[in-house]
Amino acid sequence: MELLTSILAAVEAQNTRIATLTEQQRKLAGFVKVMDEETPRRLERIIAATAKLEARQLWSAATAMCLVFLPVAVVIAGLWMVIAGLIMGVQWALDVDGSVWLGIGRWLVVGADLAEAGYGLFVSVRWVAGLVETWKGRGMPKLPRWRKR
């Protein structure tokens, strides 16, 4: 009788363990089902956030490119205007109809314009050099040490 009682107790313990494992398996299956439903939603949210960031980066890159080309365009336009101004100034200074004093006065104006153009060129070159120096000082990408050899 004691043997039957101990076997029955062991069977009861095994049944309890099986019931516990079955309940845990049921809970795990529910969790997996919820995760299977939630994962695509989360991925759609990660993808949407990435698309937003990508769009912002596109505009940032376009803005940076415009800011890089703006000084170049200003320098080119300035040079164009200086050259055109000097050509027009020389033509104006030569059109004096034989008047010496008018010619001297006009050539003084053209000389002042040349000095201003030279100073403008000097300031432009100094500004571009300072801009490049600033870009270098901000930690622009450098070659890795292993490539320098």
Side-chain angles (χ1 to χ4, degrees):
M1 203 52 172
E2 283 180 25
L3 183 60
L4 281 177
T5 305
S6 68
I7 291 175
L8 187 58
V11 168
E12 288 286 327
Q14 286 297 340
N15 285 341
T16 305
R17 286 187 196 139
I18 289 174
T20 303
L21 287 176
T22 304
E23 183 62 29
Q24 287 177 349
Q25 184 181 10
R26 195 173 301 131
K27 286 180 183 178
L28 185 60
F31 177 74
V32 168
K33 182 179 177 185
V34 168
M35 287 305 293
D36 283 345
E37 292 171 357
E38 184 65 23
T39 301
R41 288 187 203 131
R42 286 185 179 179
L43 286 174
E44 288 171 2
R45 279 184 267 162
I46 294 165
I47 291 170
T50 303
K52 261 187 187 177
L53 287 174
E54 187 177 86
R56 287 181 188 161
Q57 287 179 346
L58 176 66
W59 282 108
S60 295
T63 303
M65 192 168 64
C66 286
L67 288 176
V68 166
F69 288 130
L70 182 64
V72 173
V74 167
V75 168
I76 290 172
L79 287 174
W80 182 270
M81 288 188 288
V82 164
I83 292 169
L86 289 175
I87 291 171
M88 293 297 292
V90 169
Q91 288 175 347
W92 175 72
L94 289 175
D95 186 25
V96 293
D97 292 329
S99 174
V100 176
W101 292 109
L102 183 59
I104 292 172
R106 287 186 177 184
W107 278 109
L108 286 174
V109 171
V110 170
D113 287 344
L114 281 172
E116 290 174 18
Y119 179 72
L121 182 63
F122 167 73
V123 170
S124 296
V125 168
R126 191 177 66 180
W127 176 70
V128 169
L131 190 62
V132 168
E133 192 63 34
T134 301
W135 283 345
K136 279 185 173 180
R138 292 250 170 105
M140 295 302 285
K142 296 181 175 106
L143 288 175
R145 290 184 183 190
W146 57 271
R147 284 197 175 183
K148 287 184 180 178
R149 294 180 190 174

